Amino acid sequence: SSGINAEWPLRPGGIIHHNSTAEHQADEVRKVKKFEQGFILDPIVLSCSHTINDVKKVKEMYGFSGVAITDTGKLGGRLLGMVTARDIDFMDNFGQNISEVMTPREKLVTARAGIALVEANQILQASKKEKSTDCDSALIPLL
């Protein structure tokens, strides 16, 4: 339901089933909180020293595997690349560093900091990519 609920911040209200466990409800809320008006304001970020296994853990915990890679492993660090499910789905060496499989910054679609959502979506649509970053050199929100 988090996939559906991610759309709800754009509308009034939201739905979390009361029949779910408290842990499941909290997980769904966490997933939805990462989404706001199309921008992911607090993306999950790792560094080049992390492994494919770390990305798999992110997928297990949050339900997605699109992870930004920065020099510090933190939001605001210099963007180095991005890892998505396409980069790791068929990998069998989970101990491999993500720097070896990530899409480097030069191949990512980026936009200037502070770009309007409508304009960011137009750039993303024209690029035919799934994700874009709103950055000059430091990682800030993802689209």
Side-chain angles (χ1 to χ4, degrees), residues 86-106:
R86 290 181 188 172
D87 297 317
I88 64 168
D89 272 350
F90 301 104
M91 305 299 288
D92 50 4
N93 178 3
F94 296 165
Q96 186 174 5
N97 278 0
I98 54 180
S99 60
E100 299 174 33
V101 297
M102 72 181 187
T103 302
R105 183 178 192 271
E106 300 77 38

Side-chain angles (χ1 to χ4, degrees), residues 114-130:
I115 191 170
L117 178 60
V118 172
E119 188 179 357
N121 276 314
Q122 289 169 346
I123 291 169
L124 195 57
Q125 185 176 18
S127 75
K128 300 184 189 291
K129 302 278 184 179
E130 295 175 7

Side-chain angles (χ1 to χ4, degrees), residues 52-134:
I52 292 172
N53 193 51
D54 295 318
V55 178
K56 295 224 176 247
K57 287 178 185 175
V58 167
K59 185 172 185 175
E60 288 172 17
M61 184 177 284
Y62 298 103
F64 59 85
S65 57
V67 179
I69 310 304
T70 67
D71 60 343
T72 62
K74 297 179 182 177
L75 189 63
R78 189 169 54 88
L79 179 65
L80 301 176
M82 191 106 190
V83 175
T84 67
R86 290 181 188 172
D87 297 317
I88 64 168
D89 272 350
F90 301 104
M91 305 299 288
D92 50 4
N93 178 3
F94 296 165
Q96 186 174 5
N97 278 0
I98 54 180
S99 60
E100 299 174 33
V101 297
M102 72 181 187
T103 302
R105 183 178 192 271
E106 300 77 38
K107 292 186 178 182
L108 296 176
V109 176
T110 61
R112 71 185 185 290
I115 191 170
L117 178 60
V118 172
E119 188 179 357
N121 276 314
Q122 289 169 346
I123 291 169
L124 195 57
Q125 185 176 18
S127 75
K128 300 184 189 291
K129 302 278 184 179
E130 295 175 7
K131 291 181 179 61
S132 174
T133 63
D134 174 13

Side-chain angles (χ1 to χ4, degrees), residues 10-63:
L10 302 175
R11 306 175 190 168
I15 299 171
I16 303 276
H17 296 285
H18 73 282
N19 290 338
S20 300
T21 65
E23 292 80 14
H24 182 262
Q25 290 177 30
D27 286 343
E28 293 298 302
V29 169
R30 245 182 253 108
K31 291 174 191 174
V32 173
K33 289 292 185 181
K34 292 279 180 196
F35 183 94
E36 181 178 326
Q37 304 281 344
F39 288 107
I40 301 170
L41 300 176
D42 186 19
I44 301 297
V45 182
L46 298 174
S47 71
C48 284
S49 63
H50 284 93
T51 65
I52 292 172
N53 193 51
D54 295 318
V55 178
K56 295 224 176 247
K57 287 178 185 175
V58 167
K59 185 172 185 175
E60 288 172 17
M61 184 177 284
Y62 298 103

